[in-house]
């Protein structure tokens, strides 16, 4: 069984997901994890799927989607990754303020220096406001109050508001 | 002056409609100053907040930082909203604090100062808030629930320099507001 990573990005229209997944289903490929959204109006999808099909055959099956130049489709084989168990505590980071280059790099560097692992992240630019929301796995050894202070200071230098809060998980 | 039956006419000054500032403005990220609720400037501010809320479609509450003033004052009016249960009509509170908050539920909310986004935020649906009625020395305790509770927490957050964006439930809990025609 081969794992494949498929990316599709380009001009949005109804039916892209139906077309991509039909091409994969016709080859007996099973969809595993996927994510799709619109990024500034562009269709953007990444999916990991599994099947016993040569890479070239998958590329040929999806090639018609890219034929008119409106979509960029890539297919790569990827190794299986063990689904890692979270080793730390779940936190949510939000950043918002006036847009400028370097916000994401500065804030995520502070997290990385503390061993914080971002497991999900979205950013939005609306008007002149930039927003980042990230779910972060923080090692239990991290002094989160001190980290929140460093993040707030970094945010203040950039003129943006940074909030780090513990994420609640309610198991029912 | 009491909470029940309060209206902006009790303030005795006409409100002005003022422009609403949006999220990259630092006034929205700073904690507001506490005020003297009986100060005529606070009375005028409360009248301006209600007047601006009234002319803004869909606006059910407005805090002073949203019109560029870093004072701990806001108004709400969720009367008639489908998600409201207990309501106290229109009122403007100064220096309001949450005294008790229970029964937390997640729901989607938006904000005039973040016009293009909405987000899922967990708020208490049973709430007790204490503060002073704008334009008076009257200390009031507001016990409410459901949507009025959400609105009060949203506005108190504004006065503390917090937006709903600071409390969204996750990386995929923010949504671009769609305008359907």
């Amino acid at each position: 069984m081969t794992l494949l990573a498929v990316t599709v990005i380009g001009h949005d229209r109804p039916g892209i997901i139906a077309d991509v997944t039909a091409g994969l289903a016709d080859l007996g490929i099973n969809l595993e994890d996927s994510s799709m959204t619109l990024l500034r109006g562009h269709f953007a999808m990444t999916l990991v799927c599994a099947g016993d099909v040569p890479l070239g055959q998958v590329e040929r099956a999806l090639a018609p989607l890219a034929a008119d130049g409106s979509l960029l489709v890539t297919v790569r084989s990827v190794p299986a990754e063990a689904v890692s168990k979270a080793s730390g505590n779940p936190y949510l980071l939000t950043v918002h303020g006036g847009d400028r280059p370097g916000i994401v790099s500065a804030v995520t560097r502070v997290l990385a220096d503390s061993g914080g692992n971002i497991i999900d992240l979205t950013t939005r630019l609306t008007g002149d406001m930039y927003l980042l929301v990230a779910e972060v796995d923080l090692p239990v050894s991290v002094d989160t109050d001190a980290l929140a202070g460093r993040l707030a200071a970094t945010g203040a230098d950039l003129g943006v508001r940074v909030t780090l809060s513990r994420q609640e998980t309610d198991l029912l | 002056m009491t909470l029940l039956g309060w209206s902006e006419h009790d303030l005795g000054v006409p409100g002005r409609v003022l422009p609403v500032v949006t999220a990259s403005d630092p006034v929205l990220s700073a904690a507001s100053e506490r005020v003297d609720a009986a100060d005529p400037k606070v009375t005028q501010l409360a009248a301006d907040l209600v007047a601006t809320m009234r002319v803004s479609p869909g606006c059910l509450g407005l805090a002073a930082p949203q019109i560029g003033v870093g004072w701990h004052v806001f108004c709400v009016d969720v009367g008639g909203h489908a998600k409201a249960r207990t309501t106290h009509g229109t009122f403007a509170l100064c220096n309001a604090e949450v005294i008790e908050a229970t029964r937390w539920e997640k729901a989607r909310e938006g904000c005039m100062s973040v016009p293009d986004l909405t987000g899922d935020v967990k708020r208490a649906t049973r709430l007790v808030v204490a503060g002073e009625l704008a334009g008076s020395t009257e200390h009031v305790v507001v016990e409410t629930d459901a949507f009025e509770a959400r609105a009060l927490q949203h506005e108190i957050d504004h006065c503390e320099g917090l937006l709903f964006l600071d409390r969204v439930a996750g990386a995929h809990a923010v949504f671009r507001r769609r305008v359907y025609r």
Side-chain angles (χ1 to χ4, degrees), chain B residues 6 11 46 49-50 73-76 90-94 132-135:
Chain B
W6 189 94
L11 294 168
L49 285 169
V50 175
V73 185
F74 66 82
C75 67
V76 295
T90 310
F91 57 100
L93 283 187
C94 304
E132 291 114 40
L133 270 182

Side-chain angles (χ1 to χ4, degrees), chain B residues 18-22 25 27-28 45 49 63-71 113:
Chain B
L18 298 174
V20 173
V21 302
T22 53
D25 193 310
V27 72
L28 292 168
L45 173 61
L49 285 169
Q66 292 182 275
I67 55 171
V69 180
W71 288 1
S113 294

Side-chain angles (χ1 to χ4, degrees), chain A residues 92 120 122 129 135 161 163 170, chain B residues 23 29 122 161 166 168 171-172:
Chain A
L92 194 70
D120 214 333
T122 58
M129 189 201 73
E135 294 173 28
R161 170 100 184 197
T163 308
D170 300 321
Chain B
S29 294
K122 212 170 183 183
D166 296 302
V168 290
H172 295 277

Side-chain angles (χ1 to χ4, degrees), chain B residues 125-178:
Chain B
T125 63
R126 294 288 177 94
L127 191 75
V128 181
V129 163
E132 291 114 40
L133 270 182
S136 77
T137 53
E138 187 86 22
H139 183 83
V140 292
V141 175
V142 184
E143 194 173 338
T144 192
D145 55 33
F147 195 69
E148 193 175 67
R150 178 168 292 272
L152 288 172
Q153 290 164 90
H154 181 110
E155 302 309 332
I156 291 171
D157 268 357
H158 270 303
C159 295
E160 303 294 336
L162 292 170
L163 298 173
F164 76 87
L165 299 174
D166 296 302
R167 294 196 188 273
V168 290
H172 295 277
V174 177
F175 306 88
R176 208 172 274 280
R177 179 176 276 170
R178 307 297 298 257

Side-chain angles (χ1 to χ4, degrees), chain B residues 1-72:
Chain B
M1 197 179 284
T2 59
L3 181 64
L4 276 178
W6 189 94
S7 90
E8 60 267 42
H9 304 299
D10 294 349
L11 294 168
V13 288
R16 300 163 299 179
V17 175
L18 298 174
V20 173
V21 302
T22 53
S24 57
D25 193 310
V27 72
L28 292 168
S29 294
S32 295
E33 285 176 40
R34 296 177 71 83
V35 296
D36 171 358
D39 183 329
K41 287 183 194 154
V42 171
T43 305
Q44 181 65 57
L45 173 61
D48 294 346
L49 285 169
V50 175
T52 306
M53 175 177 73
R54 292 267 188 253
V55 301
S56 307
C59 182
L60 306 164
L62 201 62
Q66 292 182 275
I67 55 171
V69 180
W71 288 1
H72 210 299

Side-chain angles (χ1 to χ4, degrees), chain A residues 5-68:
Chain A
V6 178
T7 65
V8 183
I9 186 159
H11 177 69
D12 189 37
R13 61 170 172 80
I16 299 173
I17 295 175
D19 291 345
V20 172
T21 54
L24 296 170
D26 288 346
L27 296 173
I29 293 170
N30 192 42
L31 306 187
E32 296 192 355
D33 289 2
S34 65
S35 169
M36 178 263 142
T37 191
L38 292 176
L39 301 175
R40 292 206 90 62
H42 295 271
F43 177 92
M45 180 166 74
T46 308
L47 56 89
V48 172
C49 47
D52 279 321
V53 184
L55 187 68
Q57 196 176 342
V58 182
E59 287 177 324
R60 281 194 296 281
L62 299 180
L65 281 157
D68 68 356

